[in-house]
Amino acid sequence: GAGVSQSPSNKVTEKGKDVELRCDPISGHTALYWYRQSLGQGLEFLIYFQGNSAPDKSGLPSDRFSAERTGGSVSTLTIQRTQQEDSAVYLCASSLGVFTEAFFGQGTRLTVV
Amino acid sequence: GEDVEQSLFLSVREGDSSVINCTYTDSSSTYLYWYKQEPGAGLQLLTYIFSNMDMKQDQRLTVLLNKKDKHLSLRIADTQTGDSAIYFCAESGANNLFFGTGTRLTVIP
């Protein structure tokens, strides 16, 4: 595709349910990032994948959050037992490398009710 | 971890200059970036500066870097209503890309 694609664009879920958010990066981009954007909180780093290296998971807020990247391409962010404070826009970005421009998807707006 | 800080809000009148400031902590940053997020849209790269430069100018945009003080600024000349957006400062760390909290720029007609 032409850009970074995220799905779904909106997700409403009940507290306690698990959700999966998907990111399709730009073909050939080896770096993939997940960020969370909460109202008034700015852009919070969650996890970073670079090629075949072990991901940098240092930003994941709790063990309810996990992410994987299959075949060096598509990534899935999973939130287990969702809580209301997980409500936010989850942004995915990809780049050719850490020092090159990061291209962002439109984000998934997650609402936990 | 790296810390990138920005003020949250800035209001300017149309036609005036806007200056958005950012401080960062990672002295090993190689590139520093400014991203723009328009309402309801994703982030887009606006401009960037390599860490061995002091200044970069691109049309109405001027980026100033004070590496000693770890201070980055973005100046927008002749600010227009279309410049209203959230502006994020970002630094490339050793193996990651860290963003500030974003500055919401409001341009008053």
Side-chain angles (χ1 to χ4, degrees), chain B residues 1-58:
Chain B
E2 286 79 357
D3 193 17
V4 182
E5 294 190 354
Q6 303 176 237
S7 54
L8 291 179
F9 302 100
L10 176 67
S11 292
V12 298
R13 294 205 172 274
E14 188 175 14
D16 288 351
S17 292
S18 308
V19 180
I20 303 171
N21 294 302
C22 168
T23 58
Y24 61 97
T25 58
D26 186 357
S27 58
S28 67
S29 293
T30 305
Y31 285 95
L32 295 120
Y33 309 84
W34 284 103
Y35 280 78
K36 178 182 181 182
Q37 184 181 34
E38 296 188 9
L43 277 74
Q44 287 192 307
L45 181 66
L46 200 57
T47 187
Y48 67 93
I49 188 168
F50 190 51
S51 60
N52 69 352
M53 297 170 64
D54 297 325
M55 185 182 84
K56 180 180 180 181
Q57 187 149 4
D58 183 3

Side-chain angles (χ1 to χ4, degrees), chain A residues 65-78:
Chain A
F65 287 72
S66 62
E68 63 177 21
R69 187 177 185 190
T70 53
S73 181
V74 172
S75 178
T76 302
L77 177 69
T78 301

Side-chain angles (χ1 to χ4, degrees), chain A residues 33 35 37 39-43 45 47-48 56 58 91 98-106, chain B residues 8 30-31 33 35 37 40-43 45 86 88 92-101:
Chain A
Y33 312 80
Y35 295 91
Q37 186 174 24
L39 198 60
Q41 298 295 317
L43 216 55
F45 164 71
I47 188 168
Y48 164 65
D56 178 353
S58 61
L91 293 168
V98 68
F99 299 127
T100 61
E101 179 180 357
F103 292 84
F104 280 80
Q106 294 298 305
Chain B
L8 291 179
T30 305
Y31 285 95
Y33 309 84
Y35 280 78
Q37 184 181 34
L43 277 74
L45 181 66
I86 301 175
F88 290 91
S92 57
N95 59 359
N96 212 323
L97 185 60
F98 292 94
F99 284 82
T101 53

Side-chain angles (χ1 to χ4, degrees), chain A residues 6-45:
Chain A
Q6 290 187 245
S7 60
S9 54
N10 280 284
K11 175 74 175 178
V12 180
T13 190
E14 291 181 353
K15 179 181 170 181
K17 296 286 178 92
D18 297 351
V19 294
E20 283 190 353
L21 312 180
R22 178 186 168 105
C23 173
D24 282 273
I26 293 173
S27 178
H29 280 192
T30 59
L32 187 147
Y33 312 80
W34 282 98
Y35 295 91
R36 179 167 68 176
Q37 186 174 24
S38 305
L39 198 60
Q41 298 295 317
L43 216 55
E44 177 187 5
F45 164 71

Side-chain angles (χ1 to χ4, degrees), chain B residues 71-101:
Chain B
H71 182 266
L72 183 74
S73 68
L74 173 69
R75 179 177 180 269
I76 306 172
D78 186 25
T79 312
Q80 303 297 306
T81 54
D83 295 325
S84 292
I86 301 175
Y87 291 81
F88 290 91
C89 164
E91 60 163 346
S92 57
N95 59 359
N96 212 323
L97 185 60
F98 292 94
F99 284 82
T101 53

